[in-house]
Amino acid sequence: MALRYRITKRTNSIGNKTPQYIMQAIAKNTIDLDRLSTAISNECSLHKVDVQAVLIALGIKLEDYLQQGHNVDLGTVGKFKMGFQCKAELDPAMLSPKRSIKKFHINYQPSLKLKRVLKSGITVYKEGSKSRG
């Protein structure tokens, strides 16, 4: 399989105003829980409903453990941890969670296996081209 891309024109509004072009990855579509459960159940002895129950429970537990401050390591999938953006202050006494934290986010670190796949390169093709790698 190959990853599709398009060429997009970008203008830097801060410095050099000369337009530049970038290659931008394009997602084909979104794989939902139902489709993922079906695909996994076709490759093992579990029924689609059982796989779906495990994936739903995984989502619930992932959220729970991250909110408790744990890192969650899902083996070949990768690691997840909670993070946040914080406003800087000159005096540490001025820092408080309510005033200083702007927003929370999830940090994801791919597994070594996924990193090796990324490092070895992914086949890509230009949007609209006949070649699909």
Side-chain angles (χ1 to χ4, degrees), residues 36-104:
L36 184 60
S37 300
T38 300
I40 292 171
S41 73
N42 288 337
E43 295 184 17
C44 67
S45 62
L46 295 174
H47 190 274
K48 173 185 157 182
V49 176
D50 298 321
V51 174
Q52 203 165 40
V54 169
L55 292 174
I56 290 168
L58 173 64
I60 292 167
K61 285 301 172 189
L62 183 64
E63 179 182 340
D64 184 41
Y65 286 129
L66 290 172
Q67 285 185 22
Q68 292 178 38
H70 296 282
N71 293 342
V72 179
D73 185 346
L74 295 179
T76 58
V77 173
K79 297 177 186 177
F80 297 84
K81 70 178 181 176
M82 187 74 73
F84 54 81
Q85 275 187 340
C86 181
K87 185 172 70 171
E89 297 286 353
L90 295 175
D91 181 4
M94 296 299 293
L95 293 172
S96 73
K98 251 190 180 17
R99 282 196 322 265
S100 304
I101 296 176
K102 295 179 185 179
K103 67 178 184 177
F104 292 90

Side-chain angles (χ1 to χ4, degrees), residues 2-62:
L3 181 63
R4 186 172 49 159
Y5 73 90
R6 73 171 54 115
I7 296 176
T8 306
K9 183 178 178 179
R10 293 285 169 101
T11 304
N12 183 350
S13 61
I14 297 173
N16 180 1
K17 305 285 187 191
T18 306
Q20 296 178 324
Y21 297 87
I22 62 165
M23 292 171 55
Q24 185 176 34
I26 303 168
K28 290 179 183 176
N29 56 19
T30 300
I31 305 299
D32 64 7
L33 186 64
D34 188 55
R35 186 167 175 190
L36 184 60
S37 300
T38 300
I40 292 171
S41 73
N42 288 337
E43 295 184 17
C44 67
S45 62
L46 295 174
H47 190 274
K48 173 185 157 182
V49 176
D50 298 321
V51 174
Q52 203 165 40
V54 169
L55 292 174
I56 290 168
L58 173 64
I60 292 167
K61 285 301 172 189
L62 183 64

